[in-house]
Amino acid sequence: MLKVCIAVVQSTASRDGTLRSAPPGWEHRGVPTRLTALDSSFLHLEDNGAHMHVAAVMTFEGVAPAYDDLVEAIEARLHLVPRYRQRLAFVPLGQGRPRWVDDPHFNARYHIRHTALPAPASDEELKRLAARVFGQRLDRSKPLWEIWLVESIDSTRFAILSKTHHALVDGVSGVDIVSILFDPMRDPAPPAPPSAPWLPRPVPTQTELLAEALLERSTVPAEALRGVRKLTRAPRQVAERLAGGVAGLGSMALAGLSPAPRSSLNVDIGPHRRYTWVDADLRRFKAIKSSLGGTVNDVVLTAVSLALGRWMRGRGEDTDGLVLRAMVPVSVRAEAQEGALGNRVATMWAPLPVGVEDPVAAFDEVHRAMRGLKESGQAVGAETLTQLADFAPPTIMSQAARLQARQRFFNLVVTNVPGPQFELFLLGHRMLGLYPVVPLALKQALGIAIMSYNGRLGFGLLADFDALADLEDIAEHLEGAIDDLARVADADDRAGRTGPRRTPTPVAT
């Protein structure tokens, strides 16, 4: 559950406690469709210990609901996310990208798991469990998602772990799914029933899959002719878009010519993970950005940069003049595409000046760099490249994805996703915290995902188990960096709050 500097996604859940029926045509989106080149690339990247699923840890107040009640509640909403009952069908001989087909053996109880932490439990045990769950690859022969009900975090809370393959969903549409599967009130009206009982469509045979893929390939010239007709109908608008795309591609090429610097974050990784989180006040970040004159995302990137610099110096590493490079996914999802699954993301390469120790100087450098990146059109170039990749033969796409994963274009991923800014409930239990997960690529030992929820910012830190045994040190430095930014910006008086908390305190209701 990936997006930076965009508006909060419109939730399908209404504020009056009713769950709206699916948008027009939603159920038709469950019709089996071919993966885009970007979605398919996440399958090719899943190799040698790299797991390409996005995930989240969600904590709730009270005693965990009964497992059967949770299954029933989720099953009552599955018609709103039909992709959750579909699996991948692979084209023989790699002659086409995989497509989604209904799973005739779908069983929600396979995907909804149930476990409990040993007493006396705490956040530390939950983090260890989450790390183990996130270190396991999803079964490609079934729909690519799991939800874990975790009982007994002390005596006042329980947790839900969610895990969905990146080929199925990006961070933005992931926000929509969370809003659909949970309720905006403690006692909501029941969800709208499906228009008809779900019946899986027949799974195509291998011969049918191959024939369909070859037929689609033969129709690509027809698609090109349609594009030519569009050029003649609106030449000025097309020329402007082409100019922007070409400029963006040039900016991307310049960024890619200089590889990211070597660092202890870029080593061979294995399949096992460590996970921790930091919980912060969103109002505090808004007060910092208002005082220093930037954006919330500038504050996030600065805090990460300061934390990593302190962590590296604590390990005896030289950071003088060092600028790490973060891959920052940016949503390019149009308003009309809200609710649609699949990935609509582009990429920017954000500098992290870890050698700058002064919080204000670090913020100024990040702010200037991010403003320059937006003006350069890097994200537009990435979107253009992604669209062009849809016409590349699958074998080329597969090799290109693996090659990209082995290049040192970035040191880590930092992604910031705006989530629902109101309370969510699961079977009457209020959600307390929401901490996301971004997957690790090859030779990338750390990923940091940030998601806002109901006035909070949850930082989720996922790391390779062997490479970063001191992951908790990074989390502590991140807390300290946020405190220092708030101090120099006088943000605590502005926000009326104190510093970040590793875990939100339950509030009696």
Side-chain angles (χ1 to χ4, degrees):
M1 297 180 148
L2 302 172
K3 180 173 84 163
V4 175
C5 297
I6 58 176
V8 175
V9 175
Q10 175 69 32
S11 170
T12 303
S14 62
R15 296 300 303 273
D16 62 1
T18 62
L19 195 66
R20 295 202 304 259
S21 58
W26 181 286
E27 292 189 46
H28 295 294
R29 292 175 186 151
V31 174
T33 55
R34 182 90 48 210
L35 267 66
T36 66
L38 179 58
D39 292 344
S40 186
S41 70
F42 290 114
L43 296 176
H44 302 313
L45 287 171
E46 199 166 40
D47 190 19
N48 296 330
H51 312 299
M52 289 294 112
H53 48 253
V54 292
V57 175
M58 293 161 279
T59 59
F60 295 83
E61 64 181 1
V63 178
Y67 173 72
D68 289 342
D69 292 342
L70 176 63
V71 172
E72 181 180 350
I74 293 177
E75 286 184 322
R77 290 161 169 79
L78 279 177
H79 64 285
L80 299 175
V81 279
R83 191 73 81 215
Y84 270 31
R85 288 190 284 210
Q86 293 185 319
R87 63 173 178 81
L88 290 173
F90 293 88
V91 179
L93 306 177
Q95 293 303 300
R97 293 188 297 274
R99 57 173 283 194
W100 297 106
V101 299
D102 290 344
D103 181 5
H105 307 294
F106 176 79
N107 187 332
R109 291 177 181 271
Y110 174 84
H111 300 273
I112 305 170
R113 314 290 177 86
H114 187 198
T115 189
L117 297 175
S122 67
D123 286 340
E124 299 310 311
E125 284 75 23
L126 178 59
K127 291 173 184 177
R128 284 197 288 269
L129 173 64
R132 177 162 295 195
V133 170
F134 300 152
Q136 298 172 354
R137 178 171 163 171
L138 286 163
D139 184 353
R140 292 191 182 183
S141 69
K142 298 182 181 298
L144 296 174
W145 64 278
E146 291 176 1
I147 289 178
W148 291 66
L149 172 62
V150 184
E151 293 189 18
S152 306
I153 315 170
D154 55 57
S155 60
T156 62
R157 294 174 296 145
F158 68 95
I160 292 287
L161 310 181
S162 69
K163 190 168 76 170
T164 307
H165 201 284
H166 215 326
L168 169 63
V169 60
D170 65 21
V172 183
S173 51
V175 175
D176 291 333
I177 288 176
V178 169
S179 299
I180 287 171
L181 294 183
F182 297 103
D183 300 311
M185 294 188 69
R186 194 178 298 274
D187 297 307
S195 57
W198 180 74
L199 293 175
R201 298 175 180 84
V203 177
T205 65
Q206 293 289 288
T207 302
E208 291 171 337
L209 289 169
L210 179 59
E212 180 188 61
L214 295 176
L215 179 62
E216 286 182 9
R217 188 176 298 181
S218 68
T219 63
V220 170
E223 294 298 320
L225 288 176
R226 293 190 185 99
V228 171
R229 287 198 294 270
K230 290 182 180 179
L231 284 173
T232 61
R233 290 171 184 167
R236 177 177 299 178
Q237 292 89 332
V238 172
E240 290 175 352
R241 290 191 64 187
L242 286 175
V246 171
L249 287 173
S251 177
M252 282 188 64
L254 289 174
L257 288 176
S258 57
R262 297 183 181 277
S263 81
S264 53
L265 296 176
N266 305 112
V267 295
D268 291 331
I269 65 170
H272 309 300
R273 300 289 179 262
R274 295 181 189 271
Y275 184 71
T276 190
W277 63 73
V278 169
D279 184 270
D281 190 336
L282 180 58
R283 288 183 298 177
R284 206 176 188 214
F285 277 71
K286 290 180 177 178
I288 295 171
K289 68 96 175 175
S290 296
S291 175
L292 300 182
T295 67
V296 169
N297 197 59
D298 293 339
V299 183
V300 166
L301 292 175
T302 303
V304 170
S305 181
L306 291 169
L308 290 178
R310 296 170 183 181
W311 169 72
M312 295 173 74
R313 288 187 290 274
R315 301 178 102 193
E317 299 180 30
D318 182 15
T319 63
D320 187 29
L322 180 62
V323 179
L324 297 182
R325 184 182 294 171
M327 187 183 82
V328 180
V330 181
S331 174
V332 292
R333 183 178 298 276
E335 184 176 350
Q337 295 171 322
E338 288 180 6
L341 301 188
N343 291 275
R344 299 291 186 273
V345 292
T347 299
M348 290 197 302
W349 311 108
L352 300 178
V354 295
V356 179
E357 300 186 41
D358 178 74
V360 175
F363 179 88
D364 289 341
E365 188 164 334
V366 167
H367 174 59
R368 286 195 302 269
M370 292 305 294
R371 184 172 56 190
L373 286 177
K374 294 169 189 174
E375 294 171 353
S376 74
Q378 235 185 62
V380 176
E383 180 188 7
T384 302
L385 193 62
T386 299
Q387 292 171 344
L388 291 175
D390 279 326
F391 293 96
T395 50
I396 295 179
M397 275 302 302
S398 173
Q399 294 304 317
R402 291 189 173 96
L403 180 63
Q404 180 181 359
R406 286 165 171 78
Q407 302 305 306
R408 205 171 69 250
F409 292 135
F410 61 94
N411 300 105
L412 74 159
V413 174
V414 180
T415 176
N416 184 9
V417 182
Q421 292 307 303
F422 51 88
E423 290 185 332
L424 293 177
F425 296 84
L426 175 66
L427 296 175
H429 298 271
R430 181 167 56 94
M431 184 188 292
L432 300 172
L434 175 57
Y435 312 104
V437 174
V438 62
L440 303 183
L442 297 176
K443 293 188 178 298
Q444 178 208 338
L446 174 68
I448 300 178
I450 306 99
M451 190 169 189
S452 60
Y453 161 66
N454 195 32
R456 307 297 299 176
L457 274 182
F459 289 74
L461 285 70
L462 184 73
D464 178 74
F465 186 88
D466 297 312
L468 292 185
D470 53 354
L471 178 64
E472 290 291 344
D473 291 345
I474 299 179
E476 291 178 6
H477 286 307
L478 182 57
E479 291 178 330
I482 297 170
D483 284 339
D484 289 345
L485 283 166
R487 175 179 51 81
V488 298
D490 197 24
D492 287 336
D493 288 340
R494 293 168 178 263
R497 295 296 295 269
T498 55
R501 303 195 304 268
R502 300 300 291 276
T503 300
T505 303
V507 179
T509 57

